[in-house]
Amino acid sequence: MVCWPLVRVLALGVTWSVRKMLIRADWTPEQQPICGGCVRRFPLRTSCDYDIFIETSIEALDISQAQGVRIRGESKLPPQIDLQPSRTASSDKSRILELKLMHHYTTLTCRQLPESNTSAGKYMWSMDIPRLAFQSDLVLSALLGISALHYAALTPTDMGISRVADLYLDKAVTNHRVALSCANQNSAESLLATAILICHHAWLSAHTCVPIQQYEIPLQTYHMARGIQTLFNQMWPWLAGSAYLWYVERLPLEDIEHTASSGDFWTSGQEDLNVLSRTFELPAIPRRDRSVYEATVTELKSLYRAIDACSSQPGIQRRVATMPLKLPKRFLDLVEMQDPRALVLLARNFALLNMIPRVWWLHGASSSQSVAETAINGIAAMLPDEWKWAMDWPFRIFLGISGQE
């Protein structure tokens, strides 16, 4: 699978559905209106265009076997609702669907996004993004998509709502690609807000368990996150005073480097990294790669210390989520090549999710959408037999065994 930064991904005519299902889309301008990946995956489709995708997908969607599931006293989406975004049909049923998803976002989903318990986060997620959605169909599609994804996590037996989440996301990605080509001061906030929502959607979708598919590292999401920073830098003159500055700016690190750490978690983590670091000293390891491994170990130790010192949870959450972005770009290249040392180091990053309180945007919310479990098991399956030992510590942390054996 090819992974690009966000701006490049959205500038190409490669459908989101194909990238999400981990298929290389062999799209070229000459092959329009449909890429080879969509031909193979969706026989009913005649175009990669979003509108056609909805028509053919809805025809193939069978929700008749969906079982009733209740969320905090509310009934699941009534089966008679036509699961089709209103921009492709103006039926009352589709408008009811969008109203329900908007209500779900403003009452539940917005509380499950980064730092939603702070004044800045609460304003951004629960007030400013809905405000933009009322002004921009681009933001509205992304908002409804992330709301449907959260709803799907709470009702894992309802496959119809999962498909709805994909449909709205496809539309958001398609329109975002077009909007980027004519960005201006009036559209800057909408473009940034949509990119942020797409990135969160991609992270959780990448860790949604699909039994027939082999796990792949969510490199696409990491590149999208870098793309958000690029987008922010390019549009900075238009975003002064924006409600999104806190999200993009890096949090100041707490001064914990001189804090004494002696807990079982810290001790076992130190010893584990020391053993792993000995594998970096082999003569066959290129010096450039050795420096990347060492930088990753340094960052992991800093995270271990922060967790052991009970630092600010929002800060730890964001550091765990973005750790690969703080490392040299070579790290993600090594991960993409399935380099064993890079993979086991990344597994330790995912294992840290079990050391911080669960929050939907980072952990997922159901057995089918469990980020740590999906990632650790997936990475373990990628490793050759001679590297299986290096997964002992991540599995122990995931299982809640934080101390020494």
Side-chain angles (χ1 to χ4, degrees), residues 30-46:
E30 293 76 15
Q31 289 177 307
Q32 283 186 321
I34 189 166
C35 69
C38 286
V39 169
R40 293 188 297 272
R41 189 75 181 183
F42 306 104
L44 296 178
R45 294 175 62 176
T46 58

Side-chain angles (χ1 to χ4, degrees), residues 271-323:
E271 293 181 355
D272 169 70
L273 289 176
N274 290 339
V275 171
L276 191 58
S277 295
R278 296 190 191 111
T279 69
F280 307 162
E281 301 170 1
L282 298 176
I285 304 297
R287 181 178 300 178
R288 179 177 63 158
D289 293 350
R290 186 182 299 118
S291 66
V292 172
Y293 302 145
E294 291 170 349
T296 308
V297 167
T298 299
E299 181 63 24
L300 283 170
K301 287 183 178 180
S302 178
L303 274 171
Y304 294 177
R305 190 183 295 274
I307 291 172
D308 188 69
C310 299
S311 299
S312 166
Q313 286 301 320
I316 293 176
Q317 290 170 359
R318 290 180 66 183
R319 287 187 64 187
V320 170
T322 61
M323 189 200 81

Side-chain angles (χ1 to χ4, degrees), residues 83-103:
L83 298 179
Q84 182 172 351
S86 64
R87 299 310 175 201
T88 61
S90 57
S91 68
D92 289 339
K93 292 180 180 179
S94 62
R95 293 174 63 190
I96 292 173
L97 169 63
E98 295 196 341
L99 181 62
K100 190 174 186 72
L101 291 176
M102 176 61 80
H103 176 264

Side-chain angles (χ1 to χ4, degrees), residues 140-162:
L140 179 62
S141 296
L143 180 153
L144 295 176
I146 199 76
S147 177
L149 188 68
H150 184 231
Y151 202 114
L154 300 178
T155 58
T157 59
D158 188 348
M159 300 306 296
I161 196 65
S162 296

Side-chain angles (χ1 to χ4, degrees), residues 132-143:
L132 287 174
F134 292 136
Q135 302 171 0
S136 167
D137 186 62
L138 180 64
V139 181
L140 179 62
S141 296
L143 180 153

Side-chain angles (χ1 to χ4, degrees), residues 101-399:
L101 291 176
M102 176 61 80
H103 176 264
H104 184 79
Y105 176 87
T106 55
T107 57
L108 292 176
T109 307
C110 67
R111 301 177 184 178
Q112 296 295 320
L113 295 168
E115 300 188 48
S116 56
N117 60 334
T118 66
S119 57
K122 182 177 181 180
Y123 176 78
M124 171 179 154
W125 299 117
S126 66
M127 299 180 66
D128 201 62
I129 284 184
R131 174 187 65 81
L132 287 174
F134 292 136
Q135 302 171 0
S136 167
D137 186 62
L138 180 64
V139 181
L140 179 62
S141 296
L143 180 153
L144 295 176
I146 199 76
S147 177
L149 188 68
H150 184 231
Y151 202 114
L154 300 178
T155 58
T157 59
D158 188 348
M159 300 306 296
I161 196 65
S162 296
R163 181 60 59 88
V164 167
D166 291 343
L167 297 181
Y168 279 117
L169 184 63
D170 275 337
K171 184 179 181 184
V173 171
T174 300
N175 291 345
H176 194 271
R177 181 182 67 237
V178 175
L180 280 173
S181 63
C182 52
N184 55 46
Q185 184 171 359
N186 294 329
S187 64
E189 272 198 330
S190 295
L191 287 169
L192 184 60
T194 302
I196 290 171
L197 290 172
I198 288 173
C199 190
H200 283 293
H201 197 141
W203 169 262
L204 291 165
S205 295
H207 293 97
T208 298
C209 181
V210 181
I212 62 173
Q213 292 180 4
Q214 182 180 0
Y215 175 75
E216 290 196 16
I217 306 295
L219 294 169
Q220 186 182 69
T221 308
Y222 293 129
H223 292 310
M224 283 182 176
R226 276 211 175 102
I228 289 175
Q229 185 67 56
T230 301
L231 196 62
F232 176 79
N233 293 338
Q234 291 176 346
M235 298 192 303
W236 163 247
W238 299 332
L239 293 170
S242 169
Y244 303 89
L245 298 184
W246 69 268
Y247 183 92
V248 181
E249 293 173 346
R250 292 189 176 184
L251 289 174
L253 296 180
E254 296 183 48
D255 185 15
I256 59 173
E257 295 306 318
H258 303 292
T259 302
S261 299
S262 58
D264 288 343
F265 167 72
W266 166 257
T267 302
S268 70
Q270 280 277 85
E271 293 181 355
D272 169 70
L273 289 176
N274 290 339
V275 171
L276 191 58
S277 295
R278 296 190 191 111
T279 69
F280 307 162
E281 301 170 1
L282 298 176
I285 304 297
R287 181 178 300 178
R288 179 177 63 158
D289 293 350
R290 186 182 299 118
S291 66
V292 172
Y293 302 145
E294 291 170 349
T296 308
V297 167
T298 299
E299 181 63 24
L300 283 170
K301 287 183 178 180
S302 178
L303 274 171
Y304 294 177
R305 190 183 295 274
I307 291 172
D308 188 69
C310 299
S311 299
S312 166
Q313 286 301 320
I316 293 176
Q317 290 170 359
R318 290 180 66 183
R319 287 187 64 187
V320 170
T322 61
M323 189 200 81
L325 304 180
K326 300 175 182 178
L327 302 173
K329 292 183 179 180
R330 175 65 177 168
F331 178 75
L332 289 180
D333 293 338
L334 291 168
V335 169
E336 186 170 12
M337 293 186 295
Q338 297 191 9
D339 173 81
R341 293 172 180 82
L343 289 177
V344 298
L345 288 168
L346 184 62
R348 281 150 177 78
N349 177 230
F350 279 112
L352 296 181
L353 293 176
N354 202 47
M355 300 300 298
I356 55 182
R358 293 187 65 86
V359 60
W360 175 70
W361 72 269
L362 186 58
H363 295 80
S366 69
S367 58
S368 64
Q369 197 183 81
S370 177
V371 174
E373 181 178 5
T374 301
I376 293 173
N377 286 326
I379 290 174
M382 294 178 185
L383 291 170
D385 291 340
E386 61 268 25
W387 277 92
K388 298 294 187 183
W389 64 269
M391 291 298 294
D392 288 348
W393 193 85
F395 273 118
R396 286 196 291 118
I397 295 302
F398 172 69
L399 294 173

